[in-house]
Amino acid sequence: MTDDKRTGLLPHNCILEDRKKLSISGVNDVGSFDEQTIVAVTDCGDLTIRGEKLHITKLSLEVGELCIEGKISALQYTDVTVKSGSFLSRVFR
């Protein structure tokens, strides 16, 4: 087992070729997918891929690889947030 696997952190890279092929490393899971939207869970946040006729050609969670083909129109990250208590506890610090 590599050091990255033990700590849970995988190197994260995205390679987009001609807006038709997307290769992503550092993927922990796929949250949801359909022909218009795929949500990949990474240590850098959730990555939402939008497009048309999207399909997953390769998924290997052991090494953290995800390959997608289709017409890719957008890549968007949702940051991972750590909750720091209730609203009132943050107001009255």
Side-chain angles (χ1 to χ4, degrees), residues 5-24:
K5 279 288 197 181
R6 273 185 254 134
T7 62
L9 299 175
L10 298 172
H12 179 62
N13 294 297
C14 296
I15 300 171
L16 180 60
E17 301 174 33
D18 298 325
R19 291 182 61 185
K20 295 178 185 175
K21 293 181 181 180
L22 178 63
S23 300
I24 307 168

Side-chain angles (χ1 to χ4, degrees), residues 22-52:
L22 178 63
S23 300
I24 307 168
S25 64
V27 175
N28 298 325
D29 198 5
V30 174
S32 64
F33 63 93
D34 59 32
E35 285 191 339
Q36 290 83 32
T37 306
I38 298 173
V39 178
V41 179
T42 74
D43 289 326
C44 296
D46 290 353
L47 174 59
T48 303
I49 300 103
R50 292 192 192 345
E52 299 173 13

